[in-house]
Amino acid sequence: MSAKPPVFATLGCRLNSYETEAMKDLAARAGVENAVVVNTCAVTGEAVRKARQEIRRLRRTHPDAKLIVTGCAAQTEPDTFANMAEVDLVVGNTEKMQADTWAGLSPNFIGETERVQVDDIMSVTQTAGHLIDGFGTRSRAYVQVQNGCDHRCTFCIIPYGRGNSRSVPAGVVVEQIKRLVDKGYNEVVLTGVDLTSWGADLPAEPRLGDLVMRILKLVPDLPRLRISSIDSIEVDEALMEAIATQPRLMPHLHLSLQAGDNMILKRMKRRHNREEAIAFTRQALALRPDMTFGADIIAGFPTETDAMFENSLKLVEDCQLTWLHVFPYSPRAGTPAARIPPVNGNIIKARAAALRKAGQTQVAKHLAAQIGQTHNVLMENPRMGRTEQFAEVIFDMEQPEGHIIRALVTGHEGNQLTARPT
């Protein structure tokens, strides 16, 4: 059998995609050949089902390769995958980021590789030091600053896949961003599992806002800094100051809201209520009028009545949520919510559709309001870029990829703005 480079398949979140890039680098350095690596997600029972489906598909298309399963689903239920005939090796979330793991898979390795390499994620106290310079497009890079989560929402299995919260020190983050700017990147996105918990495990317990202000001060040549999903109840004063005073911090925040009804939020074991979510968005808009919000919302959480759902539906307009990630609730084995009486599946589907329709209405409203406005558009490819608020913009003429173009919005088609350079 001739040597072939490893094939990687990624399911789930942006952080998984980031870590796949790290694994590609580790595997290349170790000389791994003839392998298929599936980086799984465990956020819902459906995500695990899709992982199993993808494993079977990849085994059919790569019958002679060593098939390795890793990621959150491998961490939370290793036996599920170890018992699949298609799988040769199960690797945990900590082990997948270690050079020794990949060295053990190289062709010249002498010794026996354990079929299941999954340790207790809760014993991990540091983030992986493997840094990827430039993951993303040629215009935008993603920097992992935090991993894990200390919270225990009743619907979520992720802390058991990622472990407790660990932060990358600010100095390490700043140095990486400096390297990315030197390479020509015009936008950096800070990512993590529970981003607003950044710093709680570091000396002096700095907050996310401190990190943002430090990056903007120490990397003055970085044109655009963006932060990914945050928990609004954990936003600190320094981050609010950055929103108010730092134009290089992009005016788009993706909020982990999950629901708009206080009883459901309590049953989810969330740390905010409906009123606090609305107050946060209004405060952010008062500080930065061009701010836009995305949000995660779960449709059909167990015990959710029609009236409770209406509160979630109204939250879309009350918080001016533009870009929604709607999750139809599916029970996740091992979580408290899985033991609560469920909502009928057809009702869940209908509620998810209603939420998506409400989100689409807000998107249309936002796009219509941009006509006649000028934006700084970061080009992701020659014909498409994104505004500061992350709206897609298409151009008739090709623009230089990776550059920031000043453009006048002339209209919108579907979920995209149309524009011409000014």
Side-chain angles (χ1 to χ4, degrees), residues 23-211:
M23 288 191 286
K24 287 179 182 178
D25 190 32
L26 289 165
R29 291 186 189 186
V32 174
E33 300 169 350
N34 302 319
V36 173
V37 183
V38 184
N39 196 8
T40 62
C41 172
V43 70
T44 62
E46 177 66 9
V48 176
R49 188 191 69 78
K50 286 182 178 178
R52 290 167 60 86
Q53 187 178 48
E54 181 70 358
I55 288 163
R56 294 188 190 102
R57 184 188 72 79
L58 287 166
R59 174 49 79 203
R60 288 194 297 272
T61 55
H62 300 83
D64 300 320
K66 180 185 282 286
L67 199 149
I68 303 155
V69 180
T70 187
C72 288
Q75 180 70 45
T76 55
E77 44 186 287
D79 290 347
T80 295
F81 299 99
N83 291 333
M84 292 181 70
E86 295 87 352
V87 175
D88 296 302
L89 183 66
V90 181
V91 174
N93 262 339
T94 300
E95 291 77 11
K96 75 181 183 184
M97 304 299 284
Q98 295 173 343
D100 288 352
T101 302
W102 299 95
L105 298 172
S106 65
N108 57 2
F109 176 73
I110 299 172
E112 185 64 32
T113 300
E114 292 181 23
R115 188 152 188 265
V116 177
Q117 299 179 28
V118 181
D119 285 341
D120 178 12
I121 195 81
M122 294 303 174
S123 67
V124 179
T125 58
Q126 293 182 324
T127 43
H130 202 94
L131 302 175
I132 303 301
D133 286 355
F135 159 61
T137 64
R138 286 170 57 187
S139 55
R140 177 181 299 107
Y142 294 82
V143 175
Q144 180 187 351
V145 304
Q146 182 274 340
N147 203 341
C149 183
D150 292 336
H151 307 301
R152 298 294 181 264
C153 298
T154 59
F155 56 83
C156 187
I157 199 76
I158 296 306
Y160 304 98
R162 290 284 178 182
N164 291 319
S165 181
R166 293 98 67 199
S167 308
V168 178
V172 175
V173 175
V174 168
E175 288 306 311
Q176 187 184 10
I177 292 174
K178 284 180 178 178
R179 289 198 303 273
L180 291 166
V181 172
D182 288 343
K183 288 185 174 184
Y185 286 92
N186 280 319
E187 183 173 298
V188 165
V189 186
L190 304 183
T191 68
V193 174
D194 182 25
L195 201 57
T196 30
S197 71
W198 180 89
D201 57 324
L202 297 176
E205 299 184 4
R207 302 294 301 276
L208 180 62
D210 300 319
L211 177 64

Side-chain angles (χ1 to χ4, degrees), residues 339-365:
R339 300 193 297 269
I340 306 175
V343 174
N344 177 275
N346 290 329
I347 293 175
I348 291 174
K349 286 182 183 177
R351 289 177 182 173
L355 280 168
R356 292 189 182 107
K357 183 178 179 182
Q360 191 56 50
T361 298
Q362 289 292 113
V363 168
K365 193 184 298 185

Side-chain angles (χ1 to χ4, degrees), residues 78-396:
D79 290 347
T80 295
F81 299 99
N83 291 333
M84 292 181 70
E86 295 87 352
V87 175
D88 296 302
L89 183 66
V90 181
V91 174
N93 262 339
T94 300
E95 291 77 11
K96 75 181 183 184
M97 304 299 284
Q98 295 173 343
D100 288 352
T101 302
W102 299 95
L105 298 172
S106 65
N108 57 2
F109 176 73
I110 299 172
E112 185 64 32
T113 300
E114 292 181 23
R115 188 152 188 265
V116 177
Q117 299 179 28
V118 181
D119 285 341
D120 178 12
I121 195 81
M122 294 303 174
S123 67
V124 179
T125 58
Q126 293 182 324
T127 43
H130 202 94
L131 302 175
I132 303 301
D133 286 355
F135 159 61
T137 64
R138 286 170 57 187
S139 55
R140 177 181 299 107
Y142 294 82
V143 175
Q144 180 187 351
V145 304
Q146 182 274 340
N147 203 341
C149 183
D150 292 336
H151 307 301
R152 298 294 181 264
C153 298
T154 59
F155 56 83
C156 187
I157 199 76
I158 296 306
Y160 304 98
R162 290 284 178 182
N164 291 319
S165 181
R166 293 98 67 199
S167 308
V168 178
V172 175
V173 175
V174 168
E175 288 306 311
Q176 187 184 10
I177 292 174
K178 284 180 178 178
R179 289 198 303 273
L180 291 166
V181 172
D182 288 343
K183 288 185 174 184
Y185 286 92
N186 280 319
E187 183 173 298
V188 165
V189 186
L190 304 183
T191 68
V193 174
D194 182 25
L195 201 57
T196 30
S197 71
W198 180 89
D201 57 324
L202 297 176
E205 299 184 4
R207 302 294 301 276
L208 180 62
D210 300 319
L211 177 64
V212 166
M213 294 295 268
R214 186 167 177 177
I215 292 167
L216 293 170
K217 179 181 178 181
L218 297 180
V219 196
D221 295 336
L222 172 67
R224 292 162 66 135
L225 179 66
R226 199 178 288 280
I227 54 180
S228 56
S229 182
I230 62 170
D231 208 337
S232 59
I233 198 67
E234 293 185 329
V235 169
D236 58 282
E237 289 183 13
L239 185 53
M240 297 308 291
E241 181 187 350
I243 289 169
T245 64
Q246 302 296 319
R248 290 187 295 145
L249 177 63
M250 293 296 95
H252 173 260
L253 297 171
H254 191 84
L255 309 177
S256 178
L257 295 180
Q258 310 306 344
D261 180 81
N262 284 342
M263 180 56 72
I264 292 297
L265 288 166
K266 189 173 182 179
R267 288 172 180 164
M268 288 178 167
K269 211 174 176 183
R270 299 294 293 165
R271 292 165 307 286
H272 71 275
N273 60 32
R274 172 192 180 82
E275 292 73 26
E276 287 165 334
I278 295 170
F280 170 78
T281 55
R282 289 181 180 171
Q283 182 185 4
L285 279 167
L287 295 173
R288 188 83 178 263
D290 61 343
M291 181 67 74
T292 57
F293 305 102
D296 296 332
I297 300 185
I298 295 173
F301 185 81
T303 75
E304 183 183 70
T305 63
D306 288 344
M308 291 171 174
F309 171 69
E310 282 300 316
N311 284 331
S312 287
L313 196 59
K314 286 188 288 187
L315 193 72
V316 176
E317 190 168 345
D318 290 341
C319 287
Q320 298 185 40
L321 305 177
T322 306
W323 317 105
L324 293 187
H325 291 173
V326 176
F327 297 90
Y329 176 79
S330 65
R332 188 67 184 84
T335 61
R339 300 193 297 269
I340 306 175
V343 174
N344 177 275
N346 290 329
I347 293 175
I348 291 174
K349 286 182 183 177
R351 289 177 182 173
L355 280 168
R356 292 189 182 107
K357 183 178 179 182
Q360 191 56 50
T361 298
Q362 289 292 113
V363 168
K365 193 184 298 185
H366 170 71
L367 297 180
Q370 306 314 304
I371 297 173
Q373 303 285 326
T374 54
H375 282 282
N376 293 315
V377 179
L378 178 65
M379 299 305 300
E380 294 188 4
N381 62 54
R383 292 292 180 96
M384 191 279 285
R386 289 186 188 268
T387 67
E388 302 92 330
Q389 293 89 355
F390 214 59
E392 289 189 4
V393 185
I394 51 175
F395 293 83
D396 286 338

